[in-house]
Amino acid sequence: MRDLRKENKRSVTQDNNHAPAIRRSKTESIGERRNVIVSHHVVGARAKKAERKSVNKGENLVEGGSKNNNLNMEGERRKKSGNRGDNDLKVEGKRESKSKDLAQAQVGKVVMRGGNKGKRESKRSDSRRQRNPYYFSSERFQTLYRNRNGQIRVLERFDQRTNRLENLQNYRIVEFQSKPNTLILPKHSDADYILVVLNGRATIMIVNPDKRQAYNLEYGDALRLPAGTTSYILNLDDNQNLRVVKLAIPINNPGNFYDFYPSSTKDQQSYFNGFSRNTLEATFNDEQEDDEQWHGQEQSHQDEGVIVRVSKEQIQELRKHAQSSSGKGKPSESGPFNLRSNVPIYSNKFGNFYEITPDRNPQAQDLDISLTFIEINEGGLLLPHYNSKAIFVVVVDKGEGNYELVGIRDQERQQDEQEQEEVRRYNAKLSEGDIFVIPAGHPISINASSNLRLLGFGINANENQRNFLASSEDNMIRQLDKEVKELTFPGSVEDVERLIKNQQQSYFANAQPQQQQQREKEGRHGRRGLIFSI
């Protein structure tokens, strides 16, 4: 018992000996907590002070939770933001580098401005251009002159759209329109012209050093104007606007031509302005008091521009000695000829096809250009065909329709990717004023959703041959040997022969054959026949 009491006493003594250490430990813990609390208060005070300064400076601080934690989180966010900023700068640099490379690769590309909307429109425009580089809407014209009496405009260059049209780099399409009782002032150009009247009536005056000729022009009349020929055109009609389309072949600079006017207007200066006063005085053997009289600064009657109004009396006088076009027969050496005056080379109830080839047209023989005029009645189809060597530039005169042109994908891409040649279909809806190009060897078909009228200029047209791929006459496929047909097309020779001979029309046909109309009435699609297996 005595030993037990000694052991308890020894234990209590040890506990008492440890008590000061425990109290010191507790005191130190309390002190540390006080220091931490004080530190938190100090940090909080500093944070509040910093917050007030930030607010005064217009900065936004994220609130919530401990101020100290906020500061730490803010530091982390800034660190991450800095890293993201560096990454964004790197990515942006790569994007800029890539965009510069693309910009250098796309030479001649039209840059559209206007923010994101402009970029989207540019992408859509480039996409359309890539899908069909052979189609030019009427919006692709650039205005040269315009006033209240009319306008003169020119289509963009063909070779700027695609390198596939490089052979058309020296051919341009020009169109001018003028209101009734107006005159396009005299001028000459460094380009040969073939002009065609597509609306209204006109009188054209052609001036040479030794004579002056006047011709009356009407719808469908065509005429060649050699380079350097001074001419002026009068719209003599009281009601109709005049519309004339010209194929221009520049002489000096491929793809570019210039008009030279002897008079100065608000639109252009006289070519006399380019000469010095001494030269002009010696040329006209007349001395003027000042340069203004020579250089046309005192002008009032030509402030309208290059298209001016004329009186009834002036019209009567100008057209007094004018000649009309040379009716039927071969075009003459000079003077207008009408594209529809002769019998069409292809014709049936669905359409008419007129053509004047270079060998029958002395005016265009040295230019190697043919002229075509096509009429496709509503619901009609110009059957698929291709031209052996001529490239046709076609102007939509009137009406609406659609065309399908067959081409081959870019050969450079095929070689790089080592893929099979891919046939592509280029199609577009047609309306008045549109232009499209038919390259040589490319099959094409055209159908009319309303009465469609087309004017065509055939480039490199001498000895061109038009090959129809489906027609009861002049059908190139029909001329193949039976053995070759069997080896070329799927199915039996009898099936191929039946398919080829199934079309009873020549050149023009119904755009919706009776079988298709019957299927549409019955709601049937029919089975896939031999034609879809070719």
Side-chain angles (χ1 to χ4, degrees):
M1 180 65 72
R2 187 179 298 130
D3 293 336
L4 181 60
R5 284 197 296 269
K6 287 181 179 181
E7 184 66 27
N8 291 337
K9 185 177 180 180
R10 192 181 301 116
S11 175
V12 170
T13 302
Q14 290 176 354
D15 292 340
N16 290 336
N17 290 335
H18 287 290
I22 294 173
R23 283 195 297 269
R24 284 195 304 271
S25 176
K26 290 181 178 180
T27 302
E28 289 175 358
S29 299
I30 294 172
E32 289 176 359
R33 286 198 299 270
R34 287 178 180 175
N35 290 335
V36 172
I37 292 172
V38 171
S39 176
H40 275 280
H41 282 299
V42 171
V43 172
R46 290 176 180 173
K48 289 181 179 179
K49 187 175 181 180
E51 183 179 1
R52 287 194 297 270
K53 290 182 178 180
S54 298
V55 171
N56 293 335
K57 292 180 181 179
E59 300 177 355
N60 296 324
L61 296 178
V62 179
E63 298 182 356
S66 171
K67 299 298 182 179
N68 192 31
N69 291 337
N70 284 344
L71 292 175
N72 293 334
M73 293 172 62
E74 183 67 21
E76 291 295 329
R77 282 195 295 269
R78 290 179 179 177
K79 184 177 180 180
K80 292 180 180 179
S81 176
N83 293 335
R84 285 196 303 267
D86 294 339
N87 293 333
D88 290 343
L89 289 174
K90 292 178 181 178
V91 173
E92 186 64 26
K94 292 180 180 179
R95 289 175 180 171
E96 290 180 357
S97 176
K98 185 180 291 185
S99 64
K100 288 180 180 179
D101 294 339
L102 290 174
Q104 293 175 356
Q106 295 175 349
V107 178
K109 177 180 178 181
V110 178
V111 179
M112 300 183 67
R113 303 179 184 273
N116 294 331
K117 181 179 179 181
K119 292 178 182 179
R120 289 194 298 269
E121 291 177 353
S122 178
K123 289 180 180 179
R124 287 195 296 266
S125 176
D126 293 338
S127 177
R128 286 193 298 267
R129 184 178 306 178
Q130 293 172 1
R131 285 199 301 267
N132 192 348
Y134 307 111
Y135 168 74
F136 301 77
S137 71
S138 59
E139 299 175 354
R140 307 305 301 183
F141 278 90
Q142 303 167 358
T143 301
L144 298 178
Y145 308 106
R146 176 185 291 171
N147 62 11
R148 61 182 180 179
N149 299 319
Q151 66 175 354
I152 302 175
R153 58 182 193 160
V154 59
L155 186 69
E156 65 176 326
R157 291 179 54 161
F158 295 108
D159 59 323
Q160 289 182 347
R161 296 290 297 277
T162 174
N163 56 9
R164 303 180 188 186
L165 298 179
E166 286 183 353
N167 285 348
L168 292 182
Q169 64 175 329
N170 199 38
Y171 297 90
R172 305 294 299 274
I173 294 293
V174 183
E175 179 192 73
F176 62 80
Q177 302 177 10
S178 61
K179 292 185 177 180
N181 300 330
T182 56
L183 176 75
I184 299 178
L185 293 177
K187 63 169 182 155
H188 74 268
S189 301
D190 60 340
D192 282 309
Y193 288 123
I194 294 181
L195 64 85
V196 181
V197 177
L198 294 183
N199 194 73
R201 299 183 302 130
T203 297
I204 184 171
M205 277 64 68
I206 300 174
V207 181
N208 292 302
D210 56 346
K211 62 180 178 179
R212 181 178 66 251
Q213 298 169 298
Y215 299 102
N216 290 324
L217 303 176
E218 59 184 25
Y219 180 68
D221 278 349
L223 176 69
R224 177 183 177 179
L225 282 178
T229 301
T230 297
S231 65
Y232 41 101
I233 298 180
L234 169 70
N235 182 358
L236 52 86
D237 199 279
D238 295 330
N239 302 308
Q240 283 190 318
N241 290 339
L242 176 65
R243 181 186 175 210
V244 175
V245 171
K246 299 189 292 185
L247 177 68
I249 306 100
I251 299 298
N252 295 317
N253 188 5
N256 296 309
F257 61 93
Y258 300 94
D259 294 328
F260 296 87
Y261 290 82
S263 61
S264 292
T265 71
K266 69 180 183 65
D267 292 326
Q268 91 296 318
Q269 289 183 320
S270 164
Y271 47 66
F272 287 116
N273 285 23
F275 294 103
S276 66
R277 177 177 179 178
N278 292 337
T279 299
L280 292 175
E281 288 181 347
T283 298
F284 293 99
N285 194 26
D286 189 18
E287 183 176 354
Q288 300 293 330
E289 296 180 0
D290 52 47
D291 289 343
E292 291 184 353
Q293 291 176 317
W294 278 123
H295 293 148
Q297 301 300 321
E298 294 181 351
Q299 57 175 2
S300 58
H301 61 287
Q302 299 303 352
D303 285 342
E304 291 183 273
V306 300
I307 306 176
V308 300
R309 298 281 299 180
V310 291
S311 65
K312 293 287 187 181
E313 294 75 14
Q314 292 171 325
I315 291 175
Q316 292 298 326
E317 192 64 28
L318 287 171
R319 62 173 303 191
K320 183 182 297 184
H321 303 290
Q323 306 175 28
S324 297
S325 62
S326 59
K328 294 185 178 182
K330 184 178 179 180
S332 60
E333 295 285 342
S334 62
F337 53 93
N338 195 280
L339 299 181
R340 303 188 305 160
S341 61
N342 292 304
V343 177
I345 59 173
Y346 313 129
S347 179
N348 61 22
K349 63 180 181 180
F350 298 105
N352 298 298
F353 196 116
Y354 302 88
E355 183 174 30
I356 299 179
T357 54
D359 60 310
R360 296 181 54 245
N361 186 3
Q363 296 186 33
Q365 192 167 11
D366 62 319
L367 300 177
D368 198 7
I369 291 175
S370 67
L371 292 167
T372 62
F373 195 86
I374 307 172
E375 301 172 340
I376 309 176
N377 298 330
E378 181 178 352
L381 172 72
L382 177 59
L383 291 172
H385 65 278
Y386 67 89
N387 295 283
S388 61
K389 58 179 296 188
I391 307 172
F392 275 88
V393 177
V394 183
V395 181
V396 180
D397 172 26
K398 295 178 181 178
E400 295 180 345
N402 298 273
Y403 86 97
E404 295 181 356
L405 177 73
V406 179
I408 304 296
R409 194 178 63 165
D410 192 359
Q411 294 181 355
E412 293 182 0
R413 289 182 57 189
Q414 293 172 6
Q415 293 174 359
D416 293 341
E417 301 174 10
Q418 296 182 351
E419 293 182 359
Q420 179 186 11
E421 287 189 347
E422 179 184 343
V423 173
R424 292 194 59 182
R425 180 177 69 247
Y426 301 94
N427 61 330
K429 293 184 178 180
L430 303 175
S431 58
E432 181 177 335
D434 292 346
I435 311 287
F436 62 95
V437 178
I438 310 174
H442 288 52
I444 186 172
S445 67
I446 306 171
N447 68 75
S449 52
S450 65
N451 291 336
L452 190 61
R453 304 293 180 263
L454 305 171
L455 167 67
F457 298 97
I459 315 299
N460 193 35
N462 189 33
E463 297 183 354
N464 175 66
Q465 181 174 318
R466 193 169 290 106
N467 299 296
F468 281 86
L469 306 178
S471 178
S472 63
E473 299 178 21
D474 298 334
N475 187 339
M476 186 270 297
I477 302 295
R478 180 175 290 185
Q479 300 303 319
L480 297 176
D481 293 316
K482 287 186 177 182
E483 294 77 10
V484 175
K485 293 175 185 175
E486 184 177 12
L487 296 171
T488 302
F489 303 108
S492 64
V493 176
E494 291 75 15
D495 290 338
V496 175
E497 289 288 343
R498 181 193 57 79
L499 178 64
I500 294 174
K501 296 179 180 179
N502 196 41
Q503 177 57 260
Q504 300 300 316
Q505 299 291 337
S506 298
Y507 317 118
F508 297 94
N510 189 354
Q512 286 191 329
Q514 295 180 358
Q515 294 87 344
Q516 179 179 346
Q517 295 176 358
Q518 185 65 25
R519 287 198 305 268
E520 290 179 354
K521 289 181 180 179
E522 298 176 359
R524 295 184 295 108
H525 298 286
R527 62 182 180 87
R528 294 177 63 87
L530 176 62
I531 190 173
F532 296 102
S533 302
I534 296 177

